């Protein structure tokens, strides 16, 4: 079980930065991030998420025109940007990912089911990456304000992957953040059914 300081770092005291320090994200953390993320459960172990790590200035400049105006500064200032995407043809990997179960034909024959499964589980894997990043001591800013088609054209045209959201990772400048925004109480967001 995670101790209290771990829970604080992942949830209670973790904050979403809007500005970043100049401390870089060490290259070895990219593999650690993925190695933790890929262990999170997905339905049928389908693992449809794909991640594009943008580390250099040329990649950032390629991303810039796709960003919503209000997101340019927070995104471009991040030491590491990750495009969280999914592979619409994830089911081609199912014979490897789910050996002994013949799951591939279900998805290959039903575009609606495969798209829904890829989006849902790819989003779930993006959330795992958020928690993996926090567990590794990184701050995280998720971003959905961007032109999806432009991102896909610039970074995923050959693979056919579909962009879902961006993760800005690094070490946040948290000194000037306002108090944490309110959250709904258990009674407002949850129903217990016997």
């Amino acid at each position: 079980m995670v101790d209290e300081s771990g829970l604080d770092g992942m949830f209670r005291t973790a904050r979403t930065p809007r500005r970043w320090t100049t401390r870089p994200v060490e290259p070895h953390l990219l593999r650690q991030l993925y190695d933790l993320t890929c262990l999170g459960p997905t339905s049928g172990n389908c693992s449809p998420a794909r991640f594009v790590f943008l580390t250099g200035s040329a990649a950032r400049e390629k991303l810039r025109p796709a960003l919503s105006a209000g997101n340019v500064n927070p995104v471009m200032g991040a030491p590491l940007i990750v495009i969280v995407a999914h592979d619409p043809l994830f089911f081609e990997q199912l014979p490897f990912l789910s050996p002994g179960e013949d799951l591939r034909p279900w998805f290959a024959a039903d575009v609606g089911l495969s798209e829904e499964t890829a989006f849902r589980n790819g989003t779930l894997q993006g959330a795992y990456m958020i928690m993996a990043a926090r567990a590794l001591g990184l701050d995280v800013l998720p971003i959905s304000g961007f032109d999806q088609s432009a991102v896909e054209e610039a970074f995923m045209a050959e693979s056919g992957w579909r962009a879902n959201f961006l993760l800005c990772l690094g070490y946040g400048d948290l000194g000037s953040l306002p108090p944490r925004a309110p959250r709904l109480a258990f009674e407002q967001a949850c129903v217990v059914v016997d």
Side-chain angles (χ1 to χ4, degrees):
M1 186 168 211
V2 178
D3 66 14
E4 292 299 311
S5 66
L7 292 173
D8 285 345
M10 292 174 70
F11 294 99
R12 294 188 286 237
T13 60
R15 297 296 306 276
T16 304
R18 297 296 293 177
R19 292 186 310 187
W20 305 92
T21 67
T22 57
R23 181 179 172 190
V25 174
E26 296 296 326
H28 73 275
L29 286 178
L30 278 62
R31 185 168 296 277
Q32 281 186 281
L33 248 159
Y34 177 74
D35 288 346
L36 291 171
T37 298
C38 74
L39 295 175
T42 55
S43 58
N45 198 35
C46 64
S47 305
R50 303 295 183 262
F51 304 98
V52 180
F53 293 94
L54 308 182
T55 59
S57 57
R60 291 167 188 286
E61 290 307 317
K62 204 169 163 182
L63 177 66
R64 183 189 294 269
L67 297 172
S68 300
N71 288 332
V72 171
N73 289 337
V75 173
M76 297 301 285
L80 174 63
I81 304 162
V82 184
I83 302 169
V84 177
H86 61 271
D87 185 354
L89 301 177
F90 71 92
F91 50 82
E92 297 297 348
Q93 298 296 326
L94 285 175
F96 169 72
L97 293 169
S98 294
E101 298 183 48
D102 194 17
L103 300 178
R104 184 193 173 283
W106 292 6
F107 297 103
D110 189 335
V111 172
L113 175 64
S114 64
E115 286 178 357
E116 179 182 332
T117 301
F119 181 74
R120 179 180 297 126
N121 286 274
T123 302
L124 184 60
Q125 288 183 280
Y128 295 147
M129 183 166 278
I130 291 171
M131 301 318 300
R134 284 182 167 180
L136 292 171
L138 295 168
D139 294 306
V140 185
L141 170 64
I143 295 286
S144 60
F146 65 94
D147 181 328
Q148 179 183 355
S149 297
V151 168
E152 290 170 0
E153 179 63 31
F155 296 99
M156 297 176 270
E158 291 183 23
S159 67
W161 298 349
R162 304 294 314 276
N164 187 342
F165 60 98
L166 305 177
L167 290 180
C168 303
L169 303 175
Y171 302 94
D173 178 0
L174 305 177
S176 62
L177 284 177
R180 184 188 293 277
R183 301 300 197 267
L184 295 176
F186 180 90
E187 295 75 17
Q188 293 173 291
C190 305
V191 175
V192 178
V193 180
D194 285 332

